[in-house]
Each structure stands twice: as C-alpha cells, then as structure tokens.
Amino acid sequence: MHNFSLLHDDLMDGDETRRHRATAWTVFGPAQAILVGDALATLGTEVLLDAATTGGTSPTDAARAVRLLNTASRRLIDGQAMDVAFEQRDTVTVAECLEMEGGKTAALLAAASALGAVLAGADDRAADSLQRFGEHLGLAFQAVDDLLGIWGATEVTGKPHWGDLRQRKKSLPVAAALAEGGAASRELAEQLADPKGRGEESETELAARALLIEKAGGRAWTQEEARRQHTTALAALDEVPMPDVVREHFVALAEFVVVRER
Amino acid sequence: MHNFSLLHDDLMDGDETRRHRATAWTVFGPAQAILVGDALATLGTEVLLDAATTGGTSPTDAARAVRLLNTASRRLIDGQAMDVAFEQRDTVTVAECLEMEGGKTAALLAAASALGAVLAGADDRAADSLQRFGEHLGLAFQAVDDLLGIWGATEVTGKPHWGDLRQRKKSLPVAAALAEGGAASRELAEQLADPKGRGEESETELAARALLIEKAGGRAWTQEEARRQHTTALAALDEVPMPDVVREHFVALAEFVVVRER
C-alpha cells in the first residue's frame, strides 16, 4: 500500500525521481505504474489472508487485519483526493492540511503499527493504542516531510529543488504561515492568489517565498508540531505492555522519523 | 470492482463517453477518477467483511469471499496490464487475447457469480462450479463486446464509431482474422504493421478494415466463440443444485449476455 500511494503521488506530482531513483511511471508509463500500485494493494490483502491458512492466525483475526488495512486504504485514498483537490485552491487551513495528511500518511503508519499485533491476536485495546502510536508518528513524519520539501537538501532528499513551492503544494508550513496573519503571511497569501507565474517562478523567487514562510512562523510551527506528535505517539506506546527490546525498536523508529534528513 | 476496472479502461482508452454518459475522468479529472475506482475497490472488500459482523456469515466464509474478490482483482489488473502492453504490438495470438480477456472480464464475472454462494456458506465444489459458470459467461460477454466494438451500432452502444479499430485494439475478431492466414488476413496484418496513418485513418479506411476482418473469418469465429462459451457456462451451472427460480435467473442473465446489442 505504501508503494500504491507513492506511485499515485509520484504520478500526480509529476515527480520523475524519488530518492535518487527514476519513478515507476517514467520507466513503465503511467497506465502500468497505476496497475502495479493496484496489484501491490491486492497482494497486501492476500498476505494477511494467508496468515490464517499458513500461519497461526484465526480467521477472525485475519478478517480484523484485512479490515484494518482496508480502512487505512480508504483513508489514504481520501487524503490523496483532498491533496489533489487542494491543488485547485489558493489556500487551505491548518486543520484541513492536518486532515489531509492524517489520511495520506498517518492512516498508513497507524495500520502498519497495529497489523502485526492484530495477526498475533492482540485485544482491541492494545491494537487501538498501537494505531494511535502510528497515527501520531505518521503526522510527525509528514510534518518533517513537509519541512524537507521546502528546506531539505536536494542532494540528500533526491527530490527536485523547491519542488513543493513550485507546485504551490498546500503543506503544513504554508498553511501555518497563512494562518499567522502578519505582514509576511499576507504577502505570501497574495503571491499564492496570483495566477500569474504559476510554475514559472525563478529559483530566486522561490527562495524568497521560502523566507516569507519562515518569517510568518511556518517553519517553526511545523518543527514544533513534529515534536508534539512525536511525544503523543510515545505516550500511546506506553499504554501497551511489551518486552523492552520490542519497545526499544518502536522508540528508535519514532526517533528516526523526526530526525531524518531525507 | 467493475467500476474500478471500467474507470481505468475508459481512461486508458481515452473514451470520453460510455453508454451515452460522460466518463468519470472527463468530469472529475484523471487523478480523482483513478482514486474513485480505488475507493470503490476498498468498499467492495468492506461490504464482504461486514457480512460477518452484521449478516449471518462466519468469519471463515467472509475471509473466503474476500480472497475470492481479491484474486479476481489481481487477475483483472493482470488482464488490464496485458491489454495496455498489447497496444505496443502489431499482432497478438488468439490464445494471448483469450488470456487477456479472461483476466479483464471473466475473472470479474467468475467472482460475482460465486460470491453470494460463498457468503451463504456454499461448499468449495459449488463455489468452483459457479466460478466456472461466470468465467465462461465472462468470455462470452467479452466476445460479444469485441463484436459490438467493431460492428455495433454507435447510437445503441454509446461508443465512438470504429473506436476499437481506430485504436488498433487487439480484440478477438482481429486476433482470429490474423490467425486465419488467407489473403484478407495477410492484408490486415500489413495494415496493422504499418506505423503510418495510425489513429488518422478515415471512416472509409476503417470500414474497409472491418470488411477485411470479416473476410478473414474474424467475425464468424468470434460469434461462434461466444456461443461455445455460453454453452460451457450453462454446463457448469448444471453441476450446482439450486431452486428452479434461481436457475432461471442465471440462465436469463447468460442469455442476455450473448444477445445484447449494447
């Protein structure tokens, strides 16, 4: 499902590379790339069903796992649809942006964090806590992703320079900067409302726009948001009893998400 | 899933209308149309899972049903990928065409024919027979679809005139005509191997190509194939014990598939 989302995302964004590798649609064409994503999604469901026939999972738990993945897919699709719809708009609120990112990213990490436990027969309470861990971790991940999308080093992220700004992506730093309401915020809003020059801005203009977002507090707010979500994720993890060695892995994963540079 | 397939198919074919209505991608854009198809696919799985929580279906049968639908999705995706790949080729064999149509169409009807019985706890033998009924019915359906794609009345089908020939679609009548090997067959092969004029043929040229396919026996072979698949489907249906009134519905459905004009 991760690949399914990424494939659609790459295609919609027109990204020709991701992490220094050519994206699937540039190699196989858009039609086949979309089909590969769909195929991976069906394979995911099959793996979960197989746990009941070849693993020790009960049919009831396999059905729970399929529902968990399926619900995540629906939220992911919904988030992606919101992202596409936002492209037609000049501005979005922080709440709308968080809802979109909750679907596009957090739903996936929530399901991924709980699936193993569900297959092993965990009760609903433990599964819910693990889902909340993944949900908040996903929001932290996306906040960091949005920061890297503007201020990340291209040679590290493998994404095109100023790509998010060039596409006028409605990411968290932008939404937070627009919400701030000061002089820099208002100038940013004016630029984004101007249909002229869309997609044709120079490197200098885009660098100036990144500075406006920073001046309006969008960068600091998003950094703080990533830390808040990280803390909330760890609190959810504390609710679930598990061996120390397993908890250390979860904590290290959460740490990686907020300190990564790509 | 039907909609999911149709949405992708419409988009890949560039069809702007289907059954006299605007296709989804022309109204909502390609990105949102693809997402709607994906969303419908996840809803399908959810409906099957709900049968175990709100209906009288056991978790084991719900998991069987999800697997049935999921396997059909995989075959459908495979068939669609073959169809896309065939666009790059001048010719395909009848066997390749049947395999592609088995995935693109028959897998769907096979799953649809057996799903209700599986949810009601039918044994594997009955489910297998119903799947075979749907499989052969699907192949009959696609054979008729291919015939309508060339010789159907546009005002009835709602598809563009000569659309399949203009796109050089590798449908059954074309594959059968190419396999025949006579004079008309060889002339057809020459035309299809010629990159010149692709997509720019006049109505007269396309009408002449339809006549070539008919002369090479492609039309008659496909009509006969539809009848063969229809007969095999009914034989599979005979293996399953069911009330007469239910059987009559299945038989009427099969009859509709082969006599339809749209």
Side-chain angles (χ1 to χ4, degrees), chain A residues 75-88:
Chain A
R75 282 188 61 203
L76 199 158
I77 290 162
D78 190 37
Q80 185 77 14
M82 287 181 78
D83 200 18
V84 171
F86 287 174
E87 282 174 21
Q88 310 300 322

Side-chain angles (χ1 to χ4, degrees), chain B residues 19-37:
Chain B
R19 296 175 197 277
H20 311 283
R21 295 177 62 186
T23 45
W25 72 270
T26 64
V27 181
F28 306 106
Q32 299 290 37
I34 290 166
L35 289 170
V36 168

